Amino acid sequence: MSNPEHGPVLTGAQPSVGKHVMALVEGLVRDADALRIKVEPLPGGGRVIDAGINCPGGIEAGRRITEICMGGLGTATFNTREAHWPLIINVHSTHPVVACLASQYAGWSLSHGEGKEAFHALGSGPGRALAVKEPLYKELGYKDDAKHAVLVLEVDRQPPAEVLAKIRRDCNVADDGVTLILTPTRSLAGTVQVVGRVLEVALHKVHALGFPLQHIVDGSASAPIAPPAPDFLNAMGRTNDAILFGGVAQLYVDCEDDAAADLAQKLPSSASRDYGRPFAEVFKEVKYDFYKIDPMLFAPARVVVSNLRTGKSFRAGQINTELLAKSFGEGK
């Protein structure tokens, strides 16, 4: 990984993900009826936005939530690709390290209780940059100072009071300064916002490979929207496979060509020892233990690394339509 002894990755003034995101959050609340989502008060203050638990939600809600996850520093749009699975989400950010790693990455563990009643979620979105509970923030050199905490949780029930208290305390916001957006994996909005992490997945692997994040200048990526599955395992597997087998990322870097070429070769999901089967199969084989899966698997299928210093581009990987069809439950 990048060496924190060399100083923080982000230098100079950086945009506030918590402040940039509020216009998007208020727009989501304003258009709740049209988006088929629900806005309700949280116990003790604040609000929760249900995007697929007790309401239908939908694809457009998922697109907007993707932009919220990126702290208002990224765009998400739809188009079609001449392929078996035509609906594609495209994401882009001029601040990819801040938008993807300091905001969108699901890295804040929020848990309470034990056994069947236990609650566990990984917090995603700009509220993470207020709590800065993850070592990554020290390395990035980033901490937000917004007055409102916005978090996206990929769950199918509202968090308990103990988790809400932790969020308010760790984010250092008033009781009414919290917005939680809940997106079950099996829902349309949940599916879209997970697949919309395709650029973030690329950035996370860039970091894991030890490529200096300060050399990342810009980035864009796309992936097909997976059809949701009614059970969690297959729904989670499909959203991962959309990126692993159908994701395409282009990163713009400023470095030596050898470093750019090496990054391109190591970045695709096919460079992993666990590549070659739908994610749900891999996950089941390791008895649902994420830590037994090769972390190098989590990456887009195809990448292009364009070096702004020399004008050369390097590409590697390929889209795997057969594995997408197998994962997405294509009928005979």
Side-chain angles (χ1 to χ4, degrees):
M1 292 186 178
S2 304
N3 190 347
E5 294 180 0
H6 293 166
V9 170
L10 300 169
T11 57
Q14 298 294 329
S16 165
V17 289
K19 294 173 184 175
H20 274 272
V21 82
M22 288 313 297
L24 298 178
V25 174
E26 296 305 332
L28 192 72
V29 171
R30 182 187 63 243
D31 298 337
D33 288 345
L35 295 170
R36 301 184 304 194
I37 61 178
K38 280 176 145 182
V39 182
E40 298 178 338
L42 280 169
R47 58 195 172 186
V48 60
I49 300 174
D50 176 356
I53 301 174
N54 296 310
C55 57
I59 290 172
E60 172 61 12
R63 185 195 68 79
R64 295 200 194 187
I65 293 167
T66 299
E67 293 187 338
I68 289 170
C69 275
M70 299 177 79
L73 297 178
T75 60
T77 59
F78 293 126
N79 69 8
T80 56
R81 182 188 291 171
E82 289 297 328
H84 234 40
W85 305 97
L87 185 60
I88 302 295
I89 189 167
N90 308 277
V91 292
H92 163 259
S93 178
T94 304
H95 298 273
V97 174
V98 177
C100 295
L101 297 184
S103 186
Q104 190 179 24
Y105 175 56
W108 187 12
S109 181
L110 296 166
S111 302
H112 179 75
E114 297 179 356
K116 292 183 179 180
E117 298 303 314
F119 178 89
H120 177 70
L122 291 174
S124 172
R128 288 175 53 235
L130 292 172
V132 291
K133 289 298 182 179
E134 305 150 54
L136 175 62
Y137 285 101
K138 184 176 180 181
E139 185 177 342
L140 294 178
Y142 185 85
K143 187 180 190 310
D144 201 8
D145 61 355
K147 301 301 182 185
H148 198 103
V150 179
L151 287 172
V152 176
L153 306 180
E154 192 181 342
V155 294
D156 58 8
R157 63 187 173 104
Q158 189 168 308
E162 293 83 358
V163 170
L164 289 176
K166 175 179 174 59
I167 291 170
R168 292 176 177 125
R169 180 179 66 251
D170 291 352
C171 291
N172 193 28
V173 295
D175 288 353
D176 62 355
V178 174
T179 296
L180 300 183
I181 304 174
L182 311 183
T183 61
T185 313
R186 57 180 170 73
S187 68
L188 279 169
T191 296
V192 171
Q193 74 90 14
V194 175
V195 178
R197 297 171 186 271
V198 57
L199 181 60
E200 175 257 298
V201 169
L203 265 289
H204 189 261
K205 185 167 180 180
V206 167
H207 180 248
L209 289 170
F211 183 86
L213 294 174
Q214 55 267 41
H215 292 171
I216 303 291
V217 179
D218 215 315
S220 64
S222 64
I225 301 301
D231 63 288
F232 171 77
L233 178 61
N234 282 309
M236 183 266 295
R238 288 180 181 185
T239 55
N240 276 279
D241 291 339
I243 296 172
L244 303 183
F245 305 136
V248 180
Q250 183 166 12
L251 302 180
Y252 299 86
V253 302
D254 183 357
C255 61
E256 299 295 331
D257 275 339
D258 286 349
D262 184 63
L263 177 63
Q265 287 301 313
K266 293 177 178 177
L267 191 51
S269 55
S270 55
S272 165
R273 66 173 184 267
D274 283 335
Y275 179 87
R277 291 174 294 159
F279 183 80
E281 291 184 14
V282 176
F283 193 41
K284 186 176 181 180
E285 186 175 274
V286 299
K287 298 181 180 179
Y288 313 107
D289 186 346
F290 269 110
Y291 295 101
K292 291 183 179 178
I293 300 173
D294 179 13
M296 296 295 104
L297 177 64
F298 300 98
R302 184 158 60 90
V303 302
V304 180
V305 178
S306 297
N307 192 358
L308 300 179
R309 188 177 299 181
T310 66
K312 292 184 179 179
S313 290
F314 307 89
R315 66 179 68 239
Q318 61 183 0
I319 293 174
N320 193 321
T321 55
E322 290 185 7
L323 283 173
L324 279 177
K326 184 177 181 181
S327 171
F328 287 7
E330 182 176 358
K332 300 295 185 182

